[in-house]
Amino acid sequence: MLDGTEPGPSLLRRLAPALGLHAGDLFVIAGRPVPHDLAPLDPAAADGIASLSWSLTYLPRAVRELHQLVRSLPQQPRPEPSSAPRYQQYPNNPGGLMLRLLHNRNLNWLGSAKYLFGIGCRDMLSASTIGMIGRGTKTLTPDLLVGFAAFLDISPDDLGALTGIDLADDRPPVHPDATEVAQLIWNARRLTVGQLQEVRDRAHAIRHGRADELSPDRRCACPGRPSPAT
């Protein structure tokens, strides 16, 4: 491989744990199609993962509880593969690699923008701007790379090495729960739309139950008070 031979699927699967990477991510990094058994389970669940961003950012102590729920949900059968949306096709540049890694977590453009703001603690970008980063029409800056790394479960230094982007020694802080949020997002990629709705319901219940810990503008305005799922 070091002499230029393209790595095969078996080698990539064996290399991933040695490199401290998810096997699916190593296929992305190598520019190979992610095998069906390593891909996100339900592409239709991308909106569900994105919708958790507010709760994971603002609800006190909710990240660990929601992560435990995500891990406890049973694995559902994997459906037959479908063709990837055209917007997921990017050039071989740093932004393209970043977007492919985000999509490998079942994060669409809007979800990526939400987590970049809430967990990466960066400026709020539009969904279309996220797409522009992937297509190379907007530069993936060192600051944005560190923001994305906060919820990618890949270290900024590794991402810097993969993209050839030099990172500054002085890096702005990210969300204090970023490490576990990144792990939660990765584990949530194996869930269905229905299972993610259960996670959202639990987050809604936490929002009501801990309303006194939230500022008035962040309290839920709905009349109901859902009970946590059992």
Side-chain angles (χ1 to χ4, degrees), residues 111-223:
S112 300
K114 289 180 176 181
Y115 282 106
L116 180 65
F117 174 76
I119 303 303
C121 298
R122 297 313 190 257
D123 292 339
M124 185 67 191
L125 303 180
S126 67
S128 61
T129 301
I130 298 295
M132 291 169 62
I133 293 172
R135 291 168 176 160
T137 54
K138 179 176 174 58
T139 302
L140 176 63
T141 64
D143 184 64
L144 285 174
L145 184 147
V146 174
F148 284 123
F151 56 96
L152 273 177
D153 200 23
I154 303 176
S155 75
D157 293 317
D158 283 348
L159 285 176
L162 289 167
T163 59
I165 295 175
D166 292 328
L167 302 181
D169 294 331
D170 183 21
R171 302 173 189 176
V174 298
H175 193 284
D177 293 327
T179 298
E180 187 155 11
V181 169
Q183 295 168 358
L184 183 156
I185 292 172
W186 180 262
N187 289 325
R189 70 197 284 279
R190 70 173 186 84
L191 302 182
T192 64
V193 171
Q195 289 175 317
L196 279 166
Q197 183 59 53
E198 185 175 341
V199 180
R200 292 173 64 186
D201 290 344
R202 178 69 66 85
H204 190 192
I206 294 173
R207 190 174 181 182
H208 278 268
R210 299 178 187 166
D212 59 338
E213 301 178 52
L214 297 171
S215 60
D217 62 307
R218 291 180 179 168
R219 295 172 188 169
C220 186
C222 77

Side-chain angles (χ1 to χ4, degrees), residues 9-29:
S10 177
L11 177 58
L12 290 173
R13 288 176 186 266
R14 298 199 312 272
L15 275 177
L19 295 173
L21 294 168
H22 299 291
D25 280 344
L26 194 54
F27 277 83
V28 172
I29 292 165

Side-chain angles (χ1 to χ4, degrees), residues 52 55-56 59 61-71 184 199-200 202-203 206:
L52 289 174
S55 301
L56 298 175
L59 287 183
R61 309 183 310 282
V63 174
R64 179 158 297 181
E65 181 175 340
L66 294 175
H67 193 191
Q68 289 174 345
L69 175 58
V70 165
R71 289 181 294 186
L184 183 156
V199 180
R200 292 173 64 186
R202 178 69 66 85
I206 294 173

Side-chain angles (χ1 to χ4, degrees), residues 51-90:
S51 68
L52 289 174
S53 61
W54 191 95
S55 301
L56 298 175
T57 300
Y58 296 115
L59 287 183
R61 309 183 310 282
V63 174
R64 179 158 297 181
E65 181 175 340
L66 294 175
H67 193 191
Q68 289 174 345
L69 175 58
V70 165
R71 289 181 294 186
S72 72
L73 293 172
Q75 182 67 61
Q76 299 299 316
R78 183 171 288 275
E80 290 300 315
S82 58
S83 59
R86 290 186 61 82
Y87 72 79
Q88 295 187 16
Q89 300 174 5
Y90 305 100

